[in-house]
Amino acid sequence: MKGFPTYFTPELVVASPGRINLIGEHTDYNMGYVLPAAIEKKISLQFQRNGSQKNCRVFSKNFNTGFEFDLSLLAPSQVTWENYILGVVHEIVKRGDRLGGFDCVLESDLPIGSGLSSSAALECGMAYGLNQLFNLGLDKLEMVKLSQAAEHTYVGTQCGIMDQFASVMGKAGHAILLDCRSLDYEMIPINLNPYKIILLNTKVVHNLASSEYNVRKRQCEEGLAVLRRRYPTLKSLREVTGSMLDSCKAIMGDITYRRCDFVLKENERVLQMAEALKQNNLQKVGQLLYEAHEGIRKDYEVSCVESDFLVDFTKDLPEILGARQTGGGFGGCTLNLVHGSFVDEFIAMATLSYQEAYTIDLEAYEVLPSQGTSCSMVQN
Ligand code: ADP
Ligand code: MG
């Protein structure tokens, strides 16, 4: 099989989780707040040093293919998934850290391209494994940052820091209230009992997302540039108030205004959600989920009809407190706060209606906030 190492006796295994985002979409690259949690679904990456100085092989069991590369000849690939790996290796080499030849075989139970951040799981799992394998001495935040940088330079998505941060830093039973400007964070306990977090995977893979993602980021920058003409010291949308934004509405243009307005309101919602969770006010949690989805749909315009359908479907069901599309957008999963006694019925009803509407079989998963990236040595 292409790229599968001939002799493979792995020395270590890394478990690199995906994440949900309870609330706070597209706020991270605007230096705002987010509230993600790592989940049990993950990529497992097995590593071995192969004794060579520069030859590396990486094999994805999900794609049933692999590739080889030379550490001294690193360059972006035409094959998208290879760039998540090569980008991380490039960032490590760029820092001056010494790597040797290695083999890696990876396998994932994360749905790919479904808004649960398999991409960050892949990058961070690679960084974590290489750090361990070659004793690089990187701390967790350095691994988070170089994984994000890899996505910028090799993949071309100008992502914020949320996905990598959540995957690496996650803590069981908690969501992470992260301030993306200072990188200060607070672990918020998640006690949803008797409710559960159920994800419905629309199976709409967000192909548009990486290009549209960069468009949204640029629109926010355009809005900020307009605001700066009146408020020259502004560094990010994070510092903008509603009245500042409104004072520039007329000169901003409708689309730019709505993008910025969403970001301001979404930041507020993150803080309100953290507060509601602390107070165990689950009605409020649900209401904020619905409000956030409306913002995603109407103002930030990163939803899709399938996600809207599944969110709207929940609105007449009293056992469901709230729902919204989670992740960067254009498909992926909806996140639903569902009474535990209603989960099976809900999944059956949603599956049927969705199948009738779009002839797609959705997938449903219950998720629990879980620990971040971990690593274990293999006894050979
Ligand atoms: P998401 O992060 O929401 O899952 P992205 O489009 O950001 O979606 O990232 C998905 C990409 O990450 C895939 O197209 C692929 O390139 C890469 N990827 C994720 N998981 C794997 C895997 N198990 N094997 C190979 N590549 C993977
Ligand atoms: Mg991603």
Side-chain angles (χ1 to χ4, degrees):
M1 271 183 291
K2 189 184 162 207
F4 197 85
T6 330
Y7 300 102
F8 196 53
T9 47
E11 298 169 68
L12 63 94
V13 184
V14 173
S16 187
R19 62 103 190 90
I20 50 167
N21 187 20
L22 288 175
I23 201 159
E25 296 303 351
H26 296 269
T27 45
D28 58 353
Y29 55 78
N30 287 304
M31 300 299 124
Y33 298 102
V34 291
L35 193 61
I39 56 178
E40 321 90 295
K41 286 188 178 295
K42 60 179 184 304
I43 305 186
S44 299
L45 306 96
Q46 299 179 302
F47 288 88
Q48 73 177 5
R49 285 166 294 180
N50 61 22
S52 77
Q53 284 199 323
K54 295 174 182 169
N55 298 332
C56 304
R57 283 173 291 227
V58 178
F59 187 88
S60 165
K61 286 193 175 172
N62 300 84
F63 290 176
N64 199 25
T65 188
F67 66 109
E68 300 186 16
F69 59 96
D70 184 317
L71 285 172
S72 58
L73 297 169
L74 289 171
S77 163
Q78 299 294 321
V79 182
T80 306
W81 77 272
E82 297 179 4
N83 285 323
Y84 294 93
I85 315 278
L86 293 168
V88 168
V89 173
H90 166 81
E91 289 299 324
I92 291 175
V93 170
K94 201 169 85 180
R95 290 169 41 96
D97 289 323
R98 287 189 60 83
L99 295 176
F102 69 90
D103 301 328
C104 170
V105 175
L106 62 96
E107 183 165 24
S108 173
D109 65 359
L110 268 171
I112 294 172
S114 301
L116 303 184
S117 210
S118 66
S119 54
L122 185 54
E123 294 150 2
C124 295
M126 187 52 53
Y128 216 91
L130 294 179
N131 184 46
Q132 189 75 23
L133 204 60
F134 296 104
N135 283 318
L136 303 179
L138 299 168
D139 65 28
K140 286 186 177 182
L141 194 55
E142 286 171 316
M143 291 189 264
V144 165
K145 286 182 175 170
L146 74 82
S147 296
Q148 181 197 17
E151 190 144 344
H152 290 184
T153 53
Y154 267 54
V155 181
T157 305
Q158 299 300 314
C159 62
I161 202 163
M162 170 174 71
D163 299 349
Q164 294 81 4
F165 199 97
S167 179
V168 172
M169 303 290 195
K171 181 175 174 191
H174 293 74
I176 309 170
L177 173 60
L178 172 65
D179 177 338
C180 298
R181 182 169 63 184
S182 64
L183 297 186
D184 288 343
Y185 63 97
E186 183 186 346
M187 292 294 176
I188 309 287
I190 302 287
N191 302 313
L192 300 174
N193 199 23
Y195 287 84
K196 293 181 184 298
I197 300 173
I198 305 297
L199 301 181
L200 298 181
N201 187 347
T202 62
K203 298 279 196 72
V204 177
V205 172
H206 50 216
N207 288 325
L208 256 181
S210 59
S211 58
E212 283 295 319
Y213 191 101
N214 292 347
V215 171
R216 292 298 177 282
K217 181 159 190 269
R218 203 173 58 237
Q219 288 167 337
C220 291
E221 285 161 2
E222 284 163 10
L224 184 63
V226 173
L227 280 151
R228 272 207 194 111
R229 285 190 234 149
R230 188 160 295 178
Y231 307 99
T233 58
L234 283 176
K235 290 200 174 64
S236 68
L237 286 183
R238 163 71 176 280
E239 294 143 54
V240 176
T241 62
S243 59
M244 288 160 85
L245 181 61
D246 283 342
S247 75
C248 296
K249 184 173 181 178
I251 48 170
M252 197 172 268
D254 177 56
I255 291 185
T256 313
Y257 173 80
R258 284 189 290 118
R259 303 296 191 251
C260 295
D261 187 49
F262 167 80
V263 172
L264 264 55
K265 290 184 175 143
E266 186 77 347
N267 269 327
E268 278 300 311
R269 282 191 285 265
V270 176
L271 298 177
Q272 288 175 29
M273 175 79 89
E275 210 42 51
L277 286 167
K278 284 181 191 169
Q279 291 170 4
N280 237 5
N281 184 348
L282 298 185
Q283 299 291 335
K284 179 75 180 172
V285 169
Q287 180 201 327
L288 288 164
L289 291 174
Y290 280 134
E291 282 175 20
H293 190 77
E294 281 308 290
I296 285 167
R297 182 196 314 218
K298 301 214 173 99
D299 293 326
Y300 220 66
E301 296 181 279
V302 293
S303 186
C304 63
V305 290
E306 294 86 351
S307 293
D308 294 342
F309 177 90
L310 286 176
V311 169
D312 288 344
F313 179 80
T314 66
K315 287 188 175 160
D316 296 329
L317 302 171
E319 300 87 348
I320 299 185
L321 297 183
R324 67 176 204 87
Q325 178 189 266
T326 185
F330 305 102
C333 293
T334 64
L335 181 156
N336 304 269
L337 194 54
V338 186
H339 195 284
S341 64
F342 188 63
V343 169
D344 292 342
E345 201 177 331
F346 168 56
I347 293 172
M349 286 167 72
T351 304
L352 194 63
S353 299
Y354 192 62
Q355 167 62 235
E356 276 171 13
Y358 297 105
T359 58
I360 303 174
D361 288 322
L362 60 70
E363 274 174 23
Y365 331 104
E366 182 187 340
V367 288
L368 293 170
S370 302
Q371 73 159 331
T373 322
S374 63
C375 177
S376 52
M377 308 307 286
V378 177
Q379 304 296 334
N380 287 308

